[in-house]
Each structure stands twice: as C-alpha cells, then as structure tokens.
Amino acid sequence: MQPYELSLSAAADAIRTRRLSPVELTDSVLERLEQVEPHLHAYATVTAEHARRAAGDAANDIAAGRHRGPLHGIPMGLKDLIDVAGMATSAGSRVRAGHRSSANSTVAARLAAAGAVLIGKTHTHEFAYGLTTPQTQNAWDPGRVAGGSSGGSAVAVAAGTATFSLGTDTGGSIRVPAALNGVVGLKPTYGLVSRHGVTSLSWSLDHVGPITRTAEDAALVLTALAGHDPRDPASLTIPAADYRPGPGTDLTGLRVGVPRTYYHDHVDAQVAAAVRRATEQLRTLGARLVEVEIPMTRYIQATQWGLMVPEATAYHERTLRTVPELYQADVRVLLEAGALMPAGDYLRAQRARTLMRQEWARMLHEVDLIVAPTVPVTAVAAGQETVTWADGTVEGVSDAYVRLSSPANITGVPSLSLPVGHDAAGLPIGMQLLGRPLGEGVLLRVGHAYEQTQPARGLACAA
C-alpha cells in the first residue's frame, strides 16, 4: 500500500509511531496528484511547494517531540470558498478573478494550528450554487458528474490526492459528492463549525464540514474544527468535545428510525436495496429499527429554495448589478430569479422552517437517529439534465440530488453520509444518518461500527 492510500487515522498512527514521515506522505500524495489530476480536475490551485515546506516543518516538530495530534503532517484540500491568507479564493467564478485573501478563515486557522498540510484549493460549482461541479470529473467514472458543490473536495479524497478535505453544505453539497464518489461526508449541526472567512451561499443554511475516507477520520477532523467563534453570528457556545468513536460495534439499545415516506419515494432500486442491506446490518449490531413518518414533506423543497434563493441573491446584489456578465449562465439565472421573489414568500419559508424544526425535534425524541439514502440515484452522465423514474416522472438532476439532503440543512440537524456499496455500473451508493442537534457523536459511533463490519474500501477505481 502506498502512503497516499492510507486513511487519515492510519496515516496519523504511522506518523505518531515514526513509521511514516509527513514528508513521505505529502510526497506520495503529490505524486498521485500528478498522475490523476489531469483527467479528474479536482483542484483549482495546487500549492505543492507550500505543502512540501509545511510537511518538512511538521517532520521537524515531531522529531523534536512537538507532536500536535492526529492531523499533524496530514495532507488536506480546502474547498475554494475557504480563505487562506495570501491565497486566491476564486469560488469558481470570474467574478473573483485576482482576489487574494487577507487572512485565514477560522477553519483554515484551526487546521493549520493542528499541523495539517495544505495541498491546494479544490474546485466548487460557481459560488457553491449547483450540485454537479462541472469542472471536475467523478473519481469512479470520468464520464459522470462529481456531484457538488464540493465536488473537487470529494474527488480529491476518493482519488488519493488529499487524505481529507473540507467542503461546504447548503443543501447537500458535502454529502452529495461524498455519496457519488464513495467517501464519507459530514454536515455538522448548524453553528457547530465556524463559517467565518468562508464565502456564503445562503447564510441560514450554510455549513462547513469534513470529507474523509472513514467515519473515524471525520471525527478526528471535526474535533479540530468544532468550537465557538464570536466572528460567526450563528456559532454555538458549547464546550470543546472529542468526537472520536470507541472501538466497539455493539449498538444494543439504539433506536434507528426508518422513514415510511419521502426518503424512499423516487429512489433508484439499487440505491434503495443497498441502504436496506446497510440498515439491516445495524440491526444485527443490536440496533432496534423503528418506523417513522417524516413531517411536512410537501413543504421541504419549497422551503429549501424559498430560503436559499433570496439569501444568495442578497449576497451577490452588488456584483450581480455591476458585472452580471461574469457569472456562469446557470448561476446567473438563479440569482436573477431570487431578485424577483416576493418578501412574503421568504417569510413564509422562514415560518415553515420553524415548524419543521419543531416537528423534527418531536420525531427525533422517539428515535436516536434516522437512516436514509443520501441521494436517490448514483452519478449521472456529465451533461445529463434530468432523471426519469419508473412511473414516468421526470425530475431535474439538481432537484433529485438535493431532495433527500436538504431537510438536514433546513432543520440544522447533523447528517453523515457513508458509502454502502456500488450499483451494477460500479458507481458508489451513499447512506446518510441524520441525528439530533449536536448528535454528531452518535452518528460517528454508528458509522464507525457499520464500517467495522465491512471489507476495507480502496480508492476510486477510475483514478
């Protein structure tokens, strides 16, 4: 096994015990990047020399007994919405041409303090306003979409050109590409991870979180990221926590909610079957399966778009007015549509979200978490615009991908996407666990327990 193939947890253990140097690991990742990046295009910017210097500094610190923890010397990618001092944050847009960040975002600063090594900035759909990331190819099949908007971050982890990465999630943009590329994606509780210094899409729905190869890896990154930041108005004031799951697989007493509706409507048969098998595996580990009814399903998509569209337009108000020609056509149309939305519709979406949060809290009082598909269909062909379901219903690709992930953004609850198999074409299938607010520890424990019962996952076969 080459160093770039190691999970974060395995690489951290090898570095801690001096069986692997951060320099060796970073060199291996950069060599891998040279091999596969020309046909995957995960990165907007590669900072190879910066990475080599940081890896050398980490190696020297560790040799001198100054080991900072499990992220010290670990190569990472950051979505190109996340500010790093002195580096471009283009947000995938010509609108940001020539932009340089003057300071670190909070998450970049915390990862730097933990000793992580920045490999580069990963591609995003322009301003995170899309579910495909058109610049980037799927790590399992370059003819398929990578998912978005954190497509570059997911492909980098899946292909071995980053040991972990950060993405953002406004309607599913961490979990969708994680599912489509066979890696783990965590959208934390709203306010748990600071968004200061991160370009916004929709401030009341935006989240920052990790994309990794295992649930344990996600826990290590979340432990470094979480914590109050007064510069983010939504930041929660809670004590620091260690999210690392224990070694056991016993889930006795855990109540797992299985939705009767919504999460299994218009879902590909192979996706549904894989999620059922994974759910049954949780039962064999001791969990009790409980049927639940998802509340207010008819309002979910309208509420998501009713919040996101006007907030995104408000964020881009000045540049949409002064340089509209610099936006890509698909994003410009959405931003212009937001300017036409009546204020009453936005207020109704706010009220619907309040009611939805209350109803979800009641539902999650009866179970410890909910299990569901992350996305209803695996990665579609690049350029494909619609999905046709068995009953003849035609759905837009973006609508299909956001449909099952957006409830966690509206309600702010945490959601963890895990790989649970492949379809007949060899494309990854994802299952998401949704929990109570600040219930990341439960989700990560369950995800880790499930992973211990499965064969070890390799990197993407097409990479």
Side-chain angles (χ1 to χ4, degrees), residues 169-396:
D169 193 310
T170 305
S173 289
I174 287 172
R175 293 159 291 151
V176 170
L180 299 187
N181 289 280
V183 290
V184 172
L186 173 64
K187 183 205 78 66
T189 301
Y190 184 73
L192 181 61
V193 175
S194 173
R195 302 162 305 167
H196 172 74
V198 179
T199 302
S200 177
L201 173 57
S202 172
W203 57 80
S204 74
L205 298 168
D206 291 340
H207 302 68
V208 179
I211 297 176
T212 61
R213 295 187 196 142
T214 71
E216 183 178 12
D217 292 356
L220 295 176
V221 181
L222 182 63
T223 298
L225 295 178
H228 179 63
D229 178 10
R231 295 172 296 181
D232 180 351
S235 183
L236 300 173
T237 307
I238 58 171
D242 186 342
Y243 293 95
R244 286 177 291 187
T249 61
D250 185 5
L251 301 182
T252 301
L254 194 79
R255 299 167 300 171
V256 174
V258 179
R260 296 189 188 95
T261 56
Y262 191 74
Y263 282 103
H264 297 286
D265 300 335
H266 287 151
V267 172
D268 178 81
Q270 295 180 81
V271 172
V275 172
R276 281 196 300 270
R277 288 192 296 269
T279 303
E280 285 301 319
Q281 184 61 45
L282 299 183
R283 190 207 296 268
T284 67
L285 296 178
R288 179 163 61 92
L289 305 186
V290 180
E291 285 196 340
V292 296
E293 194 80 29
I294 303 298
M296 300 180 66
T297 56
R298 62 182 292 189
Y299 301 107
I300 289 172
Q301 287 179 282
T303 301
Q304 172 71 23
W305 291 104
L307 294 168
M308 182 174 66
V309 172
E311 289 182 1
T313 299
Y315 183 85
H316 290 273
E317 181 178 9
R318 183 180 62 82
T319 48
L320 187 62
R321 184 173 62 250
T322 56
V323 288
E325 70 281 1
L326 296 184
Y327 289 92
Q328 296 295 324
D330 61 331
V331 172
R332 180 177 170 180
V333 165
L334 288 170
L335 292 173
E336 290 174 341
L340 302 176
M341 182 173 287
D345 287 353
Y346 178 64
L347 294 175
R348 279 185 283 275
Q350 293 278 21
R351 287 198 291 268
R353 172 168 52 194
T354 299
L355 293 172
M356 209 173 294
R357 283 175 171 168
Q358 293 170 350
E359 292 302 314
W360 272 67
R362 292 189 184 98
M363 176 178 61
L364 287 166
H365 181 71
E366 303 299 324
V367 294
D368 298 297
L369 72 155
I370 293 166
V371 61
T374 306
V375 289
V377 64
T378 54
V380 300
Q384 182 175 332
E385 296 182 354
T386 61
V387 177
T388 302
W389 299 109
D391 63 0
T393 301
V394 177
E395 186 175 23

Side-chain angles (χ1 to χ4, degrees), residues 96-185:
R96 287 284 188 87
H99 169 82
R100 285 287 186 277
S101 303
S102 60
N104 279 333
S105 59
T106 297
V107 290
R110 288 180 177 175
L111 292 174
V117 173
L118 179 62
I119 295 294
K121 294 288 199 73
T122 55
H123 275 306
T124 173
H125 204 115
E126 185 177 30
F127 286 109
Y129 214 168
L131 274 297
T132 59
T133 316
Q135 313 95 310
T136 303
Q137 282 68 53
N138 188 281
W140 290 84
D141 180 350
R144 306 272 179 162
V145 298
S149 61
S150 307
S153 291
V155 168
V157 174
T161 60
T163 305
F164 76 93
S165 65
L166 292 194
T168 64
D169 193 310
T170 305
S173 289
I174 287 172
R175 293 159 291 151
V176 170
L180 299 187
N181 289 280
V183 290
V184 172

Side-chain angles (χ1 to χ4, degrees), residues 28-99:
S28 179
V29 167
L30 288 171
E31 289 170 8
R32 174 67 168 174
L33 189 150
E34 289 180 3
Q35 294 170 357
V36 303
E37 180 62 13
H39 66 269
L40 292 180
H41 306 112
Y43 282 90
T45 305
V46 176
T47 55
E49 292 309 310
H50 172 88
R52 290 189 176 99
R53 287 194 302 271
D57 291 343
N60 292 335
D61 283 346
I62 292 167
R66 297 188 295 272
H67 186 243
R68 302 186 202 173
L71 301 190
H72 203 174
I74 302 295
M76 66 170 178
L78 295 178
K79 186 176 182 178
D80 194 22
L81 299 179
I82 299 172
D83 284 351
V84 176
M87 293 186 184
T89 304
S90 73
S93 179
R94 293 177 298 170
V95 174
R96 287 284 188 87
H99 169 82

